[in-house]
């Protein structure tokens, strides 16, 4: 009985060891287009991994198989971490996908970009959009990929068999991360107008953007379009995890309406809701909506204690943030909060203050998880690698003594050994990264940026952070 073309592919895939020679012989007789299909099939066979191998893999991340990410600019990336590479998901013609356009979910999900990325990961190749996670792992720091694989391994096992030889797979979202534009009430020094339109004027002053880009940042409003929310709701049935960030997501009232739609549709009770937030506000309406979801996880961004945090995350109020954190910490069950986490962006402005901040968070909020320290890679002039050798030596001594004095104390607080080990590895990785490269050539750019912000905000780096005063003399 003759077999169809599709049946032949299936047959060869099933019996690939037996028919390897026949497969490549057949390739030479086929047209170029058909040869590409067989090449993909062969590549798929060579890279198909066993279910138990995900967490052991040095390249594979579960997210491209189960997750959808939308950036502040409405573009699609493999995940939030990959935005740092400025390599968004694009069509075959190089066009960026805008999340509010009709049919874009399906197009972006199985674009050539995404299919190639999945196949590269399975083949042991590090895709360039994912390089930040690999950088963390090379430093011994648990990466976003590491945590995603721990969380989503079962789902990865479930969807992997449905992937076709070309890297495409059915669109079924278990996880989504939506960055709700750039409306934010803070102007953090390491941030950009992509995430906070309030920075647009200062960036224009430093000639980091032109007038056209400034206008684009100031008019970013795609998250206000009902067609985006309607389209997203159509793919929400299988969602188990939904993350919002911004901008500042608590400001964006359209997402409140969407949460109500999820509740009405009966999805909320099986859905874990999570946020990145500066927690400068705590809307009562949102607190009530959280009670309808399975659980809520919060990642609170802090970058220093008191004046240091105000300096970096201008114009935040430390007392107000502390009050909001304490309220949530004391009412976790009342508002369905499962995890209270802290994220600290490690940069030149806070590297001297971080031991104090880590101590404060661990001692003041025992129900929260240990803080996560995220290395800043850009803007590069704010990296801790720009510091002079003598300051790096001082910091290495400071952090080494800090770890030596605190590790046993942390263990006594009843925390999981893995949580303590992760923080220790995190700090050791930061020390290694700082000493790995001398980027002192960037000090003039650091001073220029700092002076522009200081003048615009009536602040003074030497006064708030005296450890850096000598850099301005």
């Amino acid at each position: 009985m003759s077999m169809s073309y599709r049946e032949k592919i299936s047959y060869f895939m099933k019996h690939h060891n037996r028919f390897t020679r026949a497969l490549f012989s057949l390739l030479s007789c086929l047209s170029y287009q058909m040869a590409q299909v067989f090449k993909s099939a062969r590549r798929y066979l060579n890279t198909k991994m066993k279910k138990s191998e995900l967490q052991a893999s040095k390249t594979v991340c579960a997210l491209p198989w189960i997750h959808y990410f939308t950036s502040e600019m409405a573009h699609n990336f493999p995940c939030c971490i990959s935005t740092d590479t400025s390599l968004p998901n694009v069509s075959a013609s190089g066009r960026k996908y805008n999340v509010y356009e009709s049919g874009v979910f399906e197009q972006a999900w199985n674009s050539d970009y995404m299919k190639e990325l999945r196949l590269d990961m399975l083949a042991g190749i590090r895709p360039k959009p994912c390089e930040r996670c690999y950088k963390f792992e090379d430093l011994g720091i648990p990466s976003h990929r590491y945590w995603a694989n721990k969380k989503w391994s079962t789902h990865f096992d479930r969807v992997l068999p449905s992937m076709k030889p070309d890297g495409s797979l059915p669109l079924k979202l278990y996880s989504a991360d939506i960055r709700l534009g750039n409306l934010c009430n803070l102007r953090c020094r390491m941030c950009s107008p992509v995430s906070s339109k309030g920075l647009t004027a200062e960036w224009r002053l430093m000639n980091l953007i032109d007038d056209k880009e400034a206008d684009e940042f100031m008019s970013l409003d795609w998250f206000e379009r009902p067609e985006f929310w309607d389209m997203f709701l159509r793919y929400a049935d299988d969602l188990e995890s939904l993350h919002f960030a911004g901008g500042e997501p608590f400001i964006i009232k359209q997402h409140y309406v969407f949460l109500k739609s999820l509740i009405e549709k009966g999805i909320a009770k099986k859905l874990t809701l999570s946020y990145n937030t500066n927690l400068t506000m705590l809307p009562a309406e949102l607190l009530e909506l959280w009670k309808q979801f399975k659980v809520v996880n919060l990642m609170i961004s802090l970058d220093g204690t008191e004046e240091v945090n105000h300096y970096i995350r201008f114009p935040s109020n430390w007392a107000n943030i502390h009050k909001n954190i304490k309220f949530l910490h004391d009412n976790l069950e009342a508002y369905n909060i499962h995890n209270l986490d802290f994220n600290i962006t490690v940069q030149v402005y806070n590297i001297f203050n971080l031991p104090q901040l880590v101590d404060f968070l661990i001692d003041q909020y025992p129900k929260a998880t240990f803080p996560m320290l995220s290395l800043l890679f850009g803007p590069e002039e704010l990296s801790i690698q720009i510091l002079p050798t003598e300051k790096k030596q001082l910091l290495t001594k400071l952090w080494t003594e800090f770890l030596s004095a605190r590790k046993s104390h942390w263990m006594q607080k009843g925390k999981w050994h893995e949580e303590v080990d992760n923080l220790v590895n995190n700090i050791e990785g930061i020390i290694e990264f700082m000493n790995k490269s001398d980027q002192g050539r960037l000090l003039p750019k650091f001073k220029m940026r700092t002076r522009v912000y200081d003048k615009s905000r009536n602040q003074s780096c030497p006064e708030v952070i005296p450890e850096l005063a000598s850099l301005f003399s």
Side-chain angles (χ1 to χ4, degrees):
M1 186 176 79
S2 63
M3 291 190 291
S4 68
Y5 168 70
R6 187 178 294 275
E7 289 171 332
K8 287 178 182 178
I9 291 284
S10 178
Y11 188 75
F12 276 115
M13 287 179 67
K14 187 175 180 181
H15 301 282
H16 66 282
N17 289 329
R18 182 179 172 188
F19 290 104
T20 298
R21 291 184 181 179
L23 178 62
F24 282 98
S25 175
L26 180 61
L27 281 174
S28 63
C29 304
L30 296 172
S31 66
Y32 172 78
Q33 290 82 2
M34 193 168 290
Q36 290 300 102
V37 173
F38 274 92
K39 182 180 178 182
S40 293
R42 178 64 181 169
R43 185 182 183 190
Y44 175 75
L45 292 167
N46 284 338
T47 59
K48 192 173 182 182
M49 63 194 301
K50 295 177 182 178
K51 293 181 179 181
S52 60
E53 295 176 343
L54 174 63
Q55 292 191 40
S57 170
K58 300 296 184 183
T59 56
V60 177
C61 175
L63 293 182
W65 279 262
I66 55 96
H67 177 74
Y68 196 92
F69 173 83
T70 295
S71 75
E72 298 92 333
M73 303 297 290
H75 300 146
N76 177 241
F77 286 80
C79 79
C80 62
I81 303 300
S82 61
T83 58
D84 281 359
T85 64
S86 300
L87 295 171
N89 186 1
V90 294
S91 67
S93 65
R95 183 176 179 273
K96 296 175 184 177
Y97 293 106
N98 292 313
V99 71
Y100 50 82
E101 294 174 351
S102 178
V104 76
F105 276 75
E106 299 92 337
Q107 296 165 25
W109 187 250
N110 281 319
S111 66
D112 290 346
Y113 171 108
M114 287 301 297
K115 291 187 290 188
E116 187 76 11
L117 185 139
R118 293 176 188 126
L119 291 173
D120 279 351
M121 283 185 170
L122 290 171
I125 299 169
R126 291 180 166 188
K128 194 159 183 62
C130 308
E131 64 181 13
R132 187 178 174 192
C133 273
Y134 302 129
K135 283 182 179 179
F136 277 119
E137 291 164 13
D138 290 343
L139 291 167
I141 300 173
S143 68
H144 190 60
R145 184 184 80 93
Y146 168 83
W147 294 113
N149 286 350
K150 286 195 71 171
K151 180 176 181 179
W152 296 107
S153 59
T154 300
H155 295 73
F156 176 81
D157 294 346
R158 189 185 308 161
V159 302
L160 184 61
S162 67
M163 191 181 82
K164 296 179 181 179
D166 67 349
S168 63
L169 71 159
L171 174 54
K172 192 170 186 177
L173 299 182
Y174 293 104
S175 171
D177 183 345
I178 310 297
R179 304 295 160 122
L180 298 170
N182 65 350
L183 184 59
C184 186
N185 58 340
L186 299 185
R187 290 149 52 196
C188 300
R189 288 181 176 246
M190 64 290 184
C191 196
S192 80
V194 171
S195 298
S196 175
K197 67 172 60 181
L199 288 164
T200 303
E202 288 168 323
W203 271 53
R204 188 69 192 92
L205 190 63
M206 291 185 284
N207 292 315
L208 296 174
I209 53 175
D210 57 30
D211 288 339
K212 182 181 178 182
E213 290 170 315
D215 290 342
E216 183 180 9
F217 289 133
M218 291 304 294
S219 60
L220 202 61
D221 62 357
W222 61 267
F223 52 87
E224 297 177 358
R225 303 186 184 196
E227 57 266 33
F228 160 70
W229 295 105
D230 292 342
M231 183 165 51
F232 186 26
L233 190 61
R234 292 202 297 272
Y235 296 101
D237 288 347
D238 296 303
L239 276 179
E240 296 179 22
S241 176
L242 176 57
H243 184 77
F244 288 114
E248 172 49 50
F250 289 6
I251 295 176
I252 310 300
K253 292 297 182 73
Q254 286 82 0
H255 106 272
Y256 294 22
V257 177
F258 185 69
L259 295 185
K260 292 174 184 177
S261 297
L262 293 174
I263 294 168
E264 292 169 3
K265 204 173 180 183
I267 298 171
K269 286 299 182 185
K270 71 176 182 68
L271 185 57
T272 295
L273 195 61
S274 60
Y275 293 88
N276 277 99
T277 175
N278 57 41
L279 211 66
T280 55
M281 61 185 66
L282 206 51
E285 182 182 0
L286 194 57
L287 289 173
E288 290 303 310
L289 288 172
W290 289 350
K291 295 177 181 179
Q292 304 300 315
F293 286 79
K294 181 180 178 180
V295 293
V296 177
N297 295 325
L298 298 179
M299 178 67 78
I300 302 164
S301 296
L302 287 172
D303 290 311
T305 56
E306 304 194 32
E307 285 305 309
V308 174
N309 195 68
H310 175 73
Y311 181 82
I312 297 171
R313 306 183 64 82
F314 183 84
S316 64
N317 182 289
W318 173 260
N320 181 57
I321 296 170
H322 175 47
K323 180 190 73 175
N324 289 340
I325 298 173
K326 189 174 188 312
F327 175 82
L328 292 179
H329 182 268
D330 295 343
N331 295 278
L332 296 177
E333 292 186 9
Y335 297 107
N336 211 14
I337 299 170
H338 183 255
N339 284 331
L340 195 63
D341 302 327
F342 300 101
N343 184 67
I344 304 166
T345 301
V346 180
Q347 58 194 284
V348 68
Y349 291 126
N350 65 8
I351 187 65
F352 284 96
N353 181 248
L354 288 190
Q356 184 180 342
L357 178 59
V358 170
D359 270 348
F360 177 85
L361 295 177
I362 291 175
D363 291 340
Q364 291 291 316
Y365 309 119
K367 297 177 185 176
T369 55
F370 274 17
M372 182 170 70
L373 310 182
S374 299
L375 268 172
L376 177 143
F377 291 102
E380 58 183 357
E381 62 267 28
L382 300 187
S383 166
I384 55 178
Q385 289 185 335
I386 72 165
L387 289 168
T389 300
E390 63 272 15
K391 292 196 181 295
K392 289 182 178 180
Q393 291 173 343
L394 177 62
L395 283 163
T396 300
K397 182 174 183 292
L398 172 72
W399 278 102
T400 302
E401 291 176 351
F402 176 76
L403 279 181
S404 177
R406 296 300 189 279
K407 186 172 180 179
S408 60
H409 171 66
W410 293 339
M411 289 291 191
Q412 291 169 7
K413 295 183 79 67
K415 292 290 183 180
W416 295 105
H417 282 254
E418 184 182 18
E419 195 174 345
V420 175
D421 288 343
N422 283 335
L423 179 56
V424 171
N425 291 338
N426 204 174
I427 293 171
E428 290 175 343
I430 288 167
I431 297 170
E432 180 183 344
F433 171 79
M434 178 181 66
N435 292 311
K436 192 175 184 179
S437 176
D438 179 7
Q439 298 297 321
R441 62 183 176 80
L442 296 169
L443 274 170
K445 287 183 70 176
F446 161 74
K447 289 189 280 189
M448 183 276 293
R449 176 187 283 261
T450 301
R451 283 168 174 152
V452 169
Y453 281 147
D454 280 2
K455 184 177 180 180
S456 172
R457 303 169 184 197
N458 194 28
Q459 294 180 309
S460 170
C461 181
E463 290 180 12
V464 179
I465 312 164
E467 296 89 349
L468 300 181
S470 62
L471 301 183
F472 296 89
S473 58

